[in-house]
Amino acid sequence: MRGSRIVGMGHCVPDRVVTNDDLAEFIETSNEWIVQRTGIEERRWVEGNVGAADLAFDATKDALAEAGMKASDLDMIIFATLSPDVTFPGSSCILQKMLGVPGIATLDIRNQCTGFVYGLSIADQFIKTGMMNNVLVVGGEVHSSGLDMSTRGRDVTVLFGDGAGVAIVSATDGENRIIDSKLHADGTHYDVLMVEAPASRLNPRLTPEMLEEGRHYPKMDGRQVFRNAVTAMPAVVHEVLEPHGFTVEDISMLIPHQANLRINQMVQRSLGLSDDQVFNNIMKYGNTTAASIPIALHEAIQAGKVHEGDVVVLTAFGAGLTWGANLIRW
Ligand code: COA
């Protein structure tokens, strides 16, 4: 039966390293507070005018090389981002222009930290139906140009980093494939993590007063996000495994979304996984939302931690609220 598998990956993070001590120079915070609460030691932030598609373009070049493909082999670009290059059109169109492949389908999706998990599932469905053969799935974010760089925003600003990760998903008849995905959302809590303005429901969409009040910066109820994340991710991992006769013991590698090392340690404990079954790199990059899973997965592969035939599970949780998981026979 026709299915899909990842045939090439790439990732790109900006060169500029921003340590916790760097942040403490303009925000009332400390390396100790950030490391204790989140595990984050540093993140990468762009310099100058760099958008999500710019980072994704570099990552895509590497993925195409790894897959032995040309951009013209792609049928579709799915771009998961909460920080699009411009309000519209989507970053998928901007990346398509950079890749020089006019005419192929493009789709931007807005599923925040769960964006890559949703994107991979969408690519898998398009390929299973036979409508597409080669789909580029992107998670790409530039947060640093949209963060409150004052102490007012410190609970959010210290968490986020910039980066992009991409996967080329291609048709296969083999057993090594994306086996299944489970996708969820609960919009009841849409406002626990959000950027409120500019917004079409506000008229005007943005005023000097809103800017003054910082309503264009992300706001978060961190504790509620934390509580939901540590229950939703283990649950969705079981949900994606069990219909296929797998248990957590079969997991060769779990790649959880990189929002907070403490969240991932609790998820690991709750699932009863050993250290070598879970990969984390949040220490170096902070939370890159939609980009975090493809960056981590690609780094795990490069570190020799993922082998052909392995059972790999990706799981994410984020604003929306949204959560989900992909089950892959690598
Ligand atoms: N540096 C120093 N102090 C900070 C701070 C910072 N960067 N950010 C907040 N604080 C202060 C708060 O003002 C508060 O001070 P107070 O007690 O005097 O009011 C204190 O630290 C505790 O704040 P609180 O928000 O209760 O901390 P916490 O233990 O819940 O940790 C998070 C905050 C953000 C680290 C944590 O809630 C979290 O990681 N949540 C999940 C967030 C997440 O993953 N978001 C992305 C989802 S995909």
Side-chain angles (χ1 to χ4, degrees):
M1 204 182 106
R2 187 180 161 95
S4 76
R5 67 179 303 206
I6 293 174
V7 296
M9 293 197 73
H11 74 272
C12 170
V13 292
D15 292 335
R16 180 180 164 212
V17 177
V18 179
T19 65
N20 295 339
D21 286 336
D22 293 336
L23 295 182
E25 283 177 21
F26 53 89
I27 291 176
E28 280 174 38
T29 189
S30 66
N31 179 52
E32 195 192 5
W33 192 97
I34 299 171
V35 170
Q36 242 174 36
R37 300 288 212 291
T38 73
I40 299 167
E41 292 165 18
E42 55 190 43
R43 72 285 295 137
R44 303 296 183 95
W45 282 357
V46 300
E47 287 175 279
N49 297 328
V50 176
D54 294 303
L55 300 178
F57 180 54
D58 284 348
T60 302
K61 285 189 281 193
D62 290 346
L64 286 168
E66 201 175 285
M69 290 169 66
K70 302 184 296 295
S72 57
D73 294 322
L74 299 172
D75 306 313
M76 183 180 195
I77 300 170
I78 298 172
F79 203 125
T81 184
L82 63 73
S83 54
D85 295 65
V86 293
T87 304
F88 74 86
S91 291
S92 54
C93 293
I94 296 173
L95 178 60
Q96 189 208 47
K97 180 183 177 190
M98 292 172 174
L99 291 169
V101 285
I104 68 168
T106 62
L107 175 67
D108 266 43
I109 57 169
R110 300 279 306 271
N111 298 79
Q112 300 66 247
C113 302
T114 320
F116 188 80
V117 168
Y118 267 76
L120 207 55
S121 172
I122 294 167
D124 184 42
Q125 308 311 311
F126 269 114
I127 290 173
K128 277 180 179 152
T129 63
M131 190 167 167
M132 303 289 172
N133 288 313
N134 300 307
V135 181
L136 176 68
V137 183
V138 180
E141 308 281 4
V142 172
H143 288 296
S144 55
S145 51
L147 296 172
D148 186 346
M149 296 295 177
S150 72
T151 295
R152 177 180 62 184
R154 65 182 176 177
D155 58 326
V156 174
T157 300
V158 302
L159 303 178
F160 288 108
D162 303 336
V166 309
I168 297 171
V169 186
S170 294
T172 182
D173 291 323
E175 286 188 357
N176 293 348
R177 57 169 60 202
I178 298 170
I179 300 172
D180 202 358
S181 300
K182 298 292 176 195
L183 308 175
H184 295 286
D186 181 1
T188 321
H189 305 292
Y190 83 89
D191 54 355
V192 303
L193 176 51
M194 72 181 292
V195 176
E196 191 196 352
S200 61
R201 68 181 181 183
L202 300 175
N203 195 357
R205 292 181 179 190
L206 193 61
T207 61
E209 292 72 33
M210 288 183 217
L211 288 172
E212 188 62 33
E213 291 161 12
R215 288 166 69 184
H216 58 305
Y217 293 128
K219 297 282 174 324
M220 178 177 69
D221 177 344
R223 293 203 165 189
Q224 196 169 339
V225 173
F226 198 107
R227 269 201 306 274
N228 281 283
V230 295
T231 52
M233 283 195 284
V236 77
V237 168
H238 282 296
E239 186 191 349
V240 81
L241 287 171
E242 279 158 18
H244 302 280
F246 291 117
T247 69
V248 289
E249 281 160 29
D250 296 308
I251 297 177
S252 316
M253 183 53 73
L254 176 77
I255 309 282
H257 167 53
Q258 305 291 304
N260 183 321
L261 192 60
R262 309 295 161 236
I263 291 178
N264 289 356
Q265 286 165 339
M266 287 176 77
V267 168
Q268 177 179 336
R269 264 201 303 280
S270 153
L271 289 169
L273 298 175
S274 62
D275 287 349
D276 57 8
Q277 285 176 290
V278 182
F279 187 81
N280 289 303
N281 62 2
I282 187 171
M283 306 68 95
K284 296 190 292 180
Y285 302 131
N287 180 354
T288 58
T289 56
S292 93
I293 286 182
I295 294 174
L297 176 57
H298 195 218
E299 285 202 339
I301 294 166
Q302 289 177 325
K305 292 175 184 284
V306 178
H307 311 98
E308 199 168 331
D310 278 358
V311 173
V312 176
V313 178
L314 316 179
T315 187
F317 181 90
L321 298 170
T322 55
W323 65 102
N326 313 108
L327 171 64
I328 304 170
R329 169 75 72 186
W330 197 259

